C-alpha cells in the first residue's frame, strides 16, 4: 500500500456519535455510545470502536460487549477488506458513501452498513441480520468536530428515537443535487433530484419524483404510511419501506425492470408534530438485477 486511499483520507479523525438501536419492527430500544476511528499507520489500517450500549431491551444481551472493537482493514482504494478479528467482510466506497457488508462474531450478526460522509458529519446506519431476517438496526449521526461533541451527543439523545415522517398536510418538495457513481466506483456526474409531495390525507401522499442530469427518470407513486412501515402502491412504482427512527429504507420496483434500494435519513428531525427539512439520501439502482448506479446527496424542503 503506497498511501491511504481517497476514502481513508475522507474519514480520518475520531468520530463521535450516539446511534440508537431499534428492533426488527422499528421500535426504539436504546443507545450505543461510540467513539470510532480508522487509523492509517505505516501502510496498515486499523479500525477501532470504543463505547457501550445503554438500554437495549431484549437485544441487550446480544449487542452489549465487554471490550472495545478492533479489526484490520486492507485498504487498496477499491473494496476495503475487513480482516478481523472483530469484523470480517468488505466495504465499497462510492465517493463520500460506502456500502459495507460484513459479519461481527461478537454480535453474531451479519451487517449491512451505509455510511454517508458530508464534511464533518457522517450519516450512519447498520442493518443487522440473522440469515436473511433483519433482527435490528443501529443508526445515527456522527461528528468529528471536537467543539461540537457535547452538544451533538445531547441532540442525538433527544432525536435518535424520533420516527421518520414526511409532511402530512403541507404540499412542497424535497430537492437537491446528488452525485452519481457507476458500479466501477467512478463518478458519472450529478443528478437534480426532486420529490414533490401532494398530501391526500394524514396517512397517504402522492409523490412525484424527478431525476434530471446524469440520470433522467421520473415517476409518480401513491405512498401509504402504516406506523414504521410505508407502502408504494403505483402507478409508477411498487414496493415498501421500513423505518428505524429517522431513517427509512425503501425498496421500489418499476415496470421497466429497474429496482431501487435506498435510505432516506431525516437529519434535522426533532420530537414534535412536524417533519424535518433536511434529508440525506442514498440509493442503489439496479437494472435487470445488476447494479447500474449509486446515487447520494442531501435534499432540502421547500413548501408550495
Amino acid at each position: 500500500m503506497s498511501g491511504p486511499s481517497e476514502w481513508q483520507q475522507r474519514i480520518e479523525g475520531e468520530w463521535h456519535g450516539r446511534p440508537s438501536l431499534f428492533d426488527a419492527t422499528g421500535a426504539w430500544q436504546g443507545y450505543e455510545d461510540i467513539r470510532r476511528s480508522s487509523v492509517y499507520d505505516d501502510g496498515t489500517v486499523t479500525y477501532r470502536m470504543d463505547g457501550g450500549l445503554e438500554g437495549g431491551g431484549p437485544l441487550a444481551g446480544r449487542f452489549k460487549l465487554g471490550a472495545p472493537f478492533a479489526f484490520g482493514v486492507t485498504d487498496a482504494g477499491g473494496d476495503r477488506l475487513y480482516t478481523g478479528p472483530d469484523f470480517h467482510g468488505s466495504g465499497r466506497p462510492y465517493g463520500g458513501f460506502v456500502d459495507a457488508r460484513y459479519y461481527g462474531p461478537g454480535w453474531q450478526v451479519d451487517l449491512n452498513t451505509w455510511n454517508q460522509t458530508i464534511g464533518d458529519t457522517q450519516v450512519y446506519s447498520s442493518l443487522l441480520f440473522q440469515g436473511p431476517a433483519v433482527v435490528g438496526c443501529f443508526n445515527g449521526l456522527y461528528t468529528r468536530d471536537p467543539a461540537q461533541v457535547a452538544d451533538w451527543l445531547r441532540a442525538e439523545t433527544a432525536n435518535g428515537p424520533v420516527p421518520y415522517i414526511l409532511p402530512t398536510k403541507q404540499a412542497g418538495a424535497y430537492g437537491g443535487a446528488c452525485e452519481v457513481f457507476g458500479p466501477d466506483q467512478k463518478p458519472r456526474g450529478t443528478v437534480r433530484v426532486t420529490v414533490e409531495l401532494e398530501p391526500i390525507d394524514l396517512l397517504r401522499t402522492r409523490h412525484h419524483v424527478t431525476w434530471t442530469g446524469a440520470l433522467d427518470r421520473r415517476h409518480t407513486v401513491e405512498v401509504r404510511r402504516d406506523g414504521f412501515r410505508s407502502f408504494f402502491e403505483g402507478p409508477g412504482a411498487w414496493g415498501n419501506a421500513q423505518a428505524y427512527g429517522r431513517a427509512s429504507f425503501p425498496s421500489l420496483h418499476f415496470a421497466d425492470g429497474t429496482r431501487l434500494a435506498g435510505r432516506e435519513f431525516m437529519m434535522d428531525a426533532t420530537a414534535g408534530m412536524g417533519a424535518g427539512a433536511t434529508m440525506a439520501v442514498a440509493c442503489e439502482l439496479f437494472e435487470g438485477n445488476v447494479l447500474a448506479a449509486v446515487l447520494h446527496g442531501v435534499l432540502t424542503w421547500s413548501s408550495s
Side-chain angles (χ1 to χ4, degrees):
M1 185 187 303
S2 58
S5 69
E6 180 182 344
W7 174 258
Q8 180 62 36
Q9 296 175 59
R10 189 185 295 268
I11 63 170
E12 66 180 2
E14 184 174 62
W15 296 83
H16 296 255
R18 200 165 200 245
S20 284
L21 173 62
F22 303 86
D23 69 14
T25 71
W28 181 82
Q29 300 293 307
Y31 301 101
E32 187 186 31
D33 293 287
I34 288 293
R35 299 170 300 280
R36 57 181 171 83
S37 58
S38 181
V39 179
Y40 177 88
D41 183 19
D42 194 25
T44 299
V45 176
T46 303
Y47 204 109
R48 298 186 176 92
M49 294 194 302
D50 192 9
L53 184 68
E54 179 181 322
L59 299 175
R62 188 165 193 166
F63 295 110
K64 185 173 179 59
L65 294 179
F69 284 126
F71 57 99
V73 180
T74 301
D75 176 50
D79 286 332
R80 286 164 63 86
L81 303 181
Y82 308 146
T83 59
D86 292 332
F87 290 108
H88 299 268
S90 63
R92 171 155 279 215
Y94 301 90
F97 166 75
V98 68
D99 179 348
R101 298 165 190 263
Y102 51 104
Y103 185 77
W107 284 344
Q108 301 179 86
V109 290
D110 196 72
L111 296 92
N112 183 192
T113 295
W114 282 18
N115 208 348
Q116 184 177 354
T117 299
I118 306 165
D120 287 332
T121 298
Q122 284 187 347
V123 183
Y124 157 85
S125 65
S126 282
L127 290 171
L128 313 167
F129 294 88
Q130 176 74 38
V134 174
V135 298
C137 178
F138 282 112
N139 72 49
L141 301 175
Y142 281 81
T143 184
R144 64 177 166 190
D145 182 349
Q148 292 193 41
V149 170
D151 290 340
W152 194 276
L153 297 181
R154 280 193 291 270
E156 284 297 281
T157 299
N159 300 330
V162 173
Y164 172 90
I165 192 169
L166 298 178
T168 55
K169 289 186 176 181
Q170 189 174 33
Y174 289 93
C178 294
E179 297 179 86
V180 180
F181 293 80
D184 58 2
Q185 300 171 278
K186 294 180 180 179
R188 293 190 176 176
T190 61
V191 170
R192 174 70 188 183
V193 174
T194 303
V195 183
E196 183 183 352
L197 303 185
E198 180 188 343
I200 300 170
D201 57 34
L202 291 176
L203 298 177
R204 294 182 301 148
T205 302
R206 193 169 289 112
H207 292 198
H208 306 282
V209 181
T210 305
W211 294 5
T212 56
L215 292 173
D216 288 293
R217 297 186 63 90
R218 65 183 64 240
H219 70 270
T220 294
V221 62
E222 189 169 307
V223 183
R224 175 173 55 88
R225 181 174 59 86
D226 179 9
F228 301 127
R229 306 179 302 170
S230 295
F231 299 88
F232 300 84
E233 299 177 332
W238 294 264
N240 55 28
Q242 174 69 47
Y244 303 95
R246 296 163 289 174
S248 179
F249 296 81
S251 176
L252 292 174
H253 300 262
F254 303 91
D256 63 359
T258 304
R259 174 171 62 88
L260 181 150
R263 182 190 69 189
E264 301 172 350
F265 196 112
M266 201 64 72
M267 297 177 67
D268 57 353
T270 58
M273 298 183 73
T278 306
M279 181 195 298
V281 297
C283 64
E284 297 178 343
L285 194 68
F286 296 83
E287 295 177 357
N289 222 24
V290 176
L291 181 65
V294 176
L295 177 150
H296 56 85
V298 177
L299 311 183
T300 56
W301 171 256
S302 58
S303 57
S304 297

